[in-house]
Amino acid sequence: MAKKKIDFGKKLEEIVEAASKTGADTSLYYMTTLDRYNTQIKLLEQLKASITENGMTVEKEYVKGRVNIVINPAITEYNKTASAANQTVQTLIKIVQAYNDGADMSSAAEDDEM
């Protein structure tokens, strides 16, 4: 069975649509968090491409010309960015849920972030 490719752009549009229905999309807190999430997704795509291109290990040359094979540093950065993106999307979900529950986050949440 072929693996179905996920359209992240479409999924992101669904998140924005859900936020729009609750009014969360008018919040500076929401918009800056969404922008951060978009950046993280782009970074993840670039890191994934680098890992695919260069492999799981790379050569590292030391001062005296000695070469060692090490884990590709892009893997570590990918994992860090993926964790950060997961936290960012959780924040987006919380913002939308708060608006959906009728909370006025326009001043409280933005003041907390400043």
Side-chain angles (χ1 to χ4, degrees):
M1 180 165 33
K3 187 175 181 179
K4 184 177 176 184
K5 184 173 173 141
I6 298 170
D7 183 350
F8 290 109
K10 185 172 172 31
K11 293 293 183 186
L12 191 56
E13 286 176 21
E14 291 172 8
I15 293 170
V16 172
E17 185 177 321
S20 179
K21 288 178 182 176
T22 65
D25 63 332
T26 61
S27 165
L28 178 62
Y29 184 48
Y30 171 82
M31 295 305 293
T32 57
T33 305
L34 181 63
D35 181 58
R36 194 173 310 114
Y37 184 67
N38 276 323
T39 300
Q40 290 166 330
I41 293 299
K42 290 174 188 171
L43 287 171
L44 286 167
E45 290 170 353
Q46 291 173 359
L47 288 166
K48 185 176 180 180
S50 175
I51 294 167
T52 300
E53 180 181 327
N54 298 309
M56 300 297 279
T57 58
V58 295
E59 290 183 355
K60 180 177 181 179
E61 187 172 335
Y62 291 93
V63 179
K64 293 184 179 183
R66 194 180 84 220
V67 177
N68 276 353
I69 296 178
V70 297
I71 297 294
N72 186 339
I75 295 169
T76 302
E77 294 307 313
Y78 182 90
N79 290 337
K80 287 179 190 177
T81 305
S83 291
N86 289 341
Q87 292 173 349
T88 303
V89 81
Q90 288 299 319
T91 301
L92 285 170
I93 291 167
K94 287 178 185 177
I95 295 168
V96 172
Q97 286 175 340
Y99 271 91
N100 197 36
D101 293 343
D104 181 12
M105 293 186 57
S106 60
S107 60
E110 290 170 14
D111 288 344
D112 288 345
E113 286 296 305
M114 299 291 177

